[in-house]
């Protein structure tokens, strides 16, 4: 856990594969992270290309099911998840998936 997006950006190690499940208004601190590969999920396609050095965009609503989230994380070889503490039960699926993925690597 970190306090904010700026702290999260500083915490991420080089060569990480990071799943950003944040609203577009929270992405700015991650733009300078040029040695990190980001998977950015947004509900809608942005109007312009995002200013990340290295990223892939998933334009879709988040799945309701942690199994679907786990599949996304595995297929993109995610090493880190960055999300906000919001969304209630619907938003928890990605956290449950990340925990399952982490426990499978122990």
């Amino acid at each position: 856990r970190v306090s904010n997006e700026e702290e999260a950006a500083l915490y991420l190690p080089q060569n990480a594969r990071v799943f950003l499940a944040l609203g577009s208004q929270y992405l700015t601190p991650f733009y300078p992270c040029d040695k990190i590969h980001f998977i950015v999920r947004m509900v809608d396609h942005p109007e312009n290309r995002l200013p990340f050095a290295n990223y892939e965009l998933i334009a879709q609503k988040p799945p309701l099911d942690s199994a679907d989230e786990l599949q996304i994380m595995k297929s993109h070889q995610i090493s880190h998840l960055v999300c906000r503490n919001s969304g209630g039960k619907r938003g928890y699926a990605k956290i449950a998936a990340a925990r399952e993925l982490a426990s499978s690597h122990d």
Side-chain angles (χ1 to χ4, degrees), residues 24-45:
S24 59
Q25 68 272 32
Y26 302 109
L27 298 177
T28 306
F30 302 97
Y31 293 155
C33 301
D34 61 347
K35 294 190 173 132
I36 295 173
H37 184 84
F38 291 100
I39 306 300
V40 182
R41 181 166 62 205
M42 305 174 93
V43 174
D44 298 309
H45 280 277

Side-chain angles (χ1 to χ4, degrees), residues 30-85:
F30 302 97
Y31 293 155
C33 301
D34 61 347
K35 294 190 173 132
I36 295 173
H37 184 84
F38 291 100
I39 306 300
V40 182
R41 181 166 62 205
M42 305 174 93
V43 174
D44 298 309
H45 280 277
E47 291 182 18
N48 300 307
R49 186 183 189 294
L50 298 172
F52 289 102
N54 193 7
Y55 81 100
E56 295 173 56
L57 178 69
I58 300 174
Q60 70 176 50
K61 287 186 178 180
L64 297 174
D65 179 287
S66 63
D68 291 337
E69 291 281 26
L70 182 60
Q71 180 56 40
I72 291 169
M73 290 180 188
K74 284 182 175 181
S75 68
H76 290 281
Q77 301 174 316
I78 298 301
S79 62
H80 293 76
L81 168 66
V82 178
C83 63
R84 295 179 60 77
N85 186 9

